[in-house]
Every structure is written in C-alpha cells, then in structure tokens.
Amino acid sequence: MVSFKVAFFLFVGFMVGASKAQLCPTFYDDSCPDVSDIVRGVVQQALETDDRAGARLIRLHFHDCFVDGCDGSVLLVNQTGVVSELGAPGNANITGFNIVDDIKAALEEACPGVVSCADILALASVHAVSLVGGPFWEVQLGRRDRRRANLQGAINGLPSPFENVQELKEKFGRVGLDSTDLVALSGAHTFGRSRCRFFDTRLNVSSPDNTLDASYANQLRQACASSRDTFLNLDPTTPDDFDNNYYTNLQSNFGLLGSDQVLFSTPGEDTVDIVNMFAGSEQQFFDSFGQSMINMGNISPLTGDQGEVRCNCRRLN
C-alpha cells in the first residue's frame, strides 16, 4: 500500500510538472510574434479612460485560475451547454469583459485563431500591473480555453472578503498556493475599488472591528452612508498606483476588507511576518508578486489539443 501511494503521488507530480512544462514565454514567437505588444497597447488605452481597468483585468485572471485552473472559463456567458460561472457570489459585479473583447478583436485581426482567451488574461494582467508602476514578470504561455464552465466550483472555490486566514489558506492550498502566494497576490489590492457592502459589517458602531483604525472607520461610515454600493479605494494612500502601500496600510489597521486585514491582525499566523517583509521592501513584494502570478498562472492549464482557442471569449466556437 505504501509503495502504491508513493508511486501514485510521483505519477501525479510528474503529470503536474509535465503540464506546467508545456507553458513557455516564447509560445507565440512564430505564430503571433507581436502578441505582448498588442495586448499592452489595448490595456494602455483602457487605462487612459478608466483608472480601474488594471484591477478589473487582474481580478478576471485571478477568478479564472481559482476555478479549474487558468482556462478562460470565467469569461463564458450562459449558452447552450454552459452554465456561466458569473452567477457565483464571488463573481458578482465582476467587470472588464469589454477590455478583453477589445484585446481579442485586435489579436484576431493580427493573428486569427491563435491566441487563447486564457492567455489574454495572463498577458493583460502583467501589463495592467507594469503600466501603473508595478513589476513585470515573464508570462508563461500556451494555455487553451475550456469548453465548459463550473458554477459550483466558483461558488465553493473563490476566496471571500469575509473569510479569516485559515479559510483563505485552505482555498489557496486547494490550488497549490502557499502563504507567501496568499499574501503576495492579496497585494493586488494596492489598486482598485470595493463596494461598501463587502466591508460595512466592520463599521458597526455598537460592536466595532478593533482591527480597523477608529478614525478610518468613521471616514468609511460617512462615505458609505448613502449606499452600500458606493465604491471606495482599496488603498486610501495611493489608490491607482501599484506599490507596497497595501502592506503598510495593514500595519496601521487601514486594510479595507476584513480578508486583507486578517493577514496582519491574526496573532501567530505566518502571514504577519510576510506582510512585514513586503511592507519593509517594495522590491521583495514585486519579486514575490511576479513569482506568485506565475505560480497562479500554472494552475491546471489546458495545453496541446485540449479545449479550444475561442474566436469570441464569451462564447464557445
């Protein structure tokens, strides 16, 4: 029995390694050599009129990868044979599809039928970050698009802004990501916005959240008074820049979402030391973020003749 288990895990490890090995940064060098420049150009254009464009794109990539791997399934709408993942609570009000559509249209004109929607999300994410002052990492490419969605997987697998550290670690662990990945990828909240409904339970006057700075909580109450759908900056200091202020905010109890603040405010968790490390060194954060994005991008990709390359990212061919 022991030898069988060892052989099984070696086999699984080999298969995972083989799957990852099929992704490479030069995948489109012959078939679509300008792919990265084309994606960058569309993302840059989107950022000129929408400060939230970068956060929208990286959220799409994140939510894609956490459900059956990075396969473009989050982009699918309801259609024959497909129940969309967009009905999951974690995907409520997710946006950025118009930017993905624009990228796909530009790529279809340059090299039709070549670049997958899953790879578009990976490439859009690196440019969304680097164009606003963040790091650039070498994106691994060669993913194919899945021909189905997984609504229940999205319901069960997407991290929630209401979860504690252990719950977050469990969901990250399910897809092979560790505490460093959790803290690094959470740093994407250094830009973007959140609706009040995702954190206003922390503002209860009769039982205030003591991990939220009292003066900041008062500001948030006033800002959220008119509507639970009011958008507020995730990073109140440099809201549209990609930097390490997310972590210094956590050290000062200025984490907007409960799921952010728990990374620093939960005694005894290894995430506390990681937050302190990233707060003390922006370069360390940038290096770790890039590696964690690569790690996330390697979750269960479809390669070879699996899946398809969609002509329209929202619909099956």
Side-chain angles (χ1 to χ4, degrees):
M1 177 63 76
V2 174
S3 61
F4 170 78
K5 288 181 177 179
V6 171
F8 174 77
F9 284 118
L10 286 174
F11 172 76
V12 171
F14 171 79
M15 291 303 293
V16 171
S19 177
K20 290 182 180 180
Q22 294 179 54
L23 299 181
C24 68
T26 59
F27 186 83
Y28 296 110
D29 278 10
D30 294 328
S31 58
C32 194
D34 296 327
V35 58
S36 186
D37 289 339
I38 292 171
V39 174
R40 180 183 175 87
V42 177
V43 174
Q44 188 167 27
Q45 186 174 26
L47 285 166
E48 290 173 0
T49 56
D50 179 8
D51 289 337
R52 296 179 59 211
R56 298 180 201 275
L57 290 168
I58 206 165
R59 185 183 181 202
L60 280 171
H61 185 39
F62 185 99
H63 285 219
D64 183 36
C65 292
F66 264 68
V67 182
D68 293 337
C70 310
D71 56 10
S73 62
V74 71
L75 301 170
L76 289 170
V77 297
N78 287 324
Q79 58 200 273
T80 302
V82 174
V83 178
S84 174
E85 294 169 13
L86 300 178
N91 282 328
N93 303 304
I94 196 169
T95 56
F97 301 98
N98 60 316
I99 309 172
V100 175
D101 290 344
D102 289 344
I103 295 171
K104 185 61 175 173
L107 288 171
E108 285 298 301
E109 183 175 349
C111 34
V114 172
V115 183
S116 69
C117 300
D119 275 349
I120 285 174
L121 293 181
L123 284 165
S125 293
V126 69
H127 293 305
V129 169
S130 63
L131 283 167
V132 293
F136 186 91
W137 58 93
E138 192 172 55
V139 180
Q140 304 298 303
L141 300 167
R143 300 169 190 81
R144 304 262 293 178
D145 299 320
R146 196 176 297 275
R147 292 186 50 80
R148 61 176 176 81
N150 184 354
L151 175 60
Q152 194 60 49
I155 293 172
N156 295 337
L158 292 176
S160 159
F162 309 108
E163 290 176 330
N164 61 38
V165 173
Q166 285 303 317
E167 291 167 329
L168 293 169
K169 281 185 174 181
E170 180 184 355
K171 286 186 175 178
F172 275 69
R174 286 181 202 167
V175 294
L177 301 177
D178 61 18
S179 294
T180 299
D181 297 315
L182 165 60
V183 180
L185 293 173
S186 295
H189 286 170
T190 188
F191 63 179
R193 316 282 188 270
S194 176
R195 295 176 188 265
C196 290
R197 66 175 61 250
F198 296 119
F199 59 83
D200 59 6
T201 55
R202 306 180 69 204
L203 308 179
N204 190 314
V205 177
S206 60
S207 58
D209 185 338
N210 61 12
T211 68
L212 185 63
D213 178 85
S215 62
Y216 184 41
N218 285 331
Q219 295 174 30
L220 297 175
R221 288 188 193 99
Q222 294 175 24
C224 292
S226 60
S227 171
R228 296 190 73 209
D229 285 323
T230 298
F231 281 101
L232 295 182
N233 295 325
L234 285 162
D235 176 356
T237 51
T238 51
D240 299 321
D241 297 330
F242 200 95
D243 53 32
N244 70 332
N245 283 350
Y246 167 83
Y247 301 102
T248 57
N249 289 338
L250 298 185
Q251 290 177 323
S252 301
N253 287 353
F254 273 61
L256 186 68
L257 302 179
S259 57
D260 288 329
Q261 191 60 52
V262 294
L263 301 177
F264 180 74
S265 298
T266 307
E269 288 291 347
D270 58 353
T271 57
V272 177
D273 288 338
I274 301 170
V275 168
N276 287 332
M277 177 175 63
F278 292 160
S281 171
E282 185 169 79
Q283 189 59 55
Q284 181 66 61
F285 165 48
F286 281 6
D287 291 345
S288 295
F289 185 83
Q291 184 58 56
S292 290
M293 287 296 291
I294 292 171
N295 295 345
M296 185 180 76
N298 279 337
I299 298 172
S300 304
L302 300 181
T303 57
D305 59 359
Q306 298 175 307
E308 64 182 11
V309 174
R310 287 187 219 131
C311 299
N312 178 339
C313 288
R314 309 211 203 180
R315 308 195 69 84
L316 302 179
N317 289 344

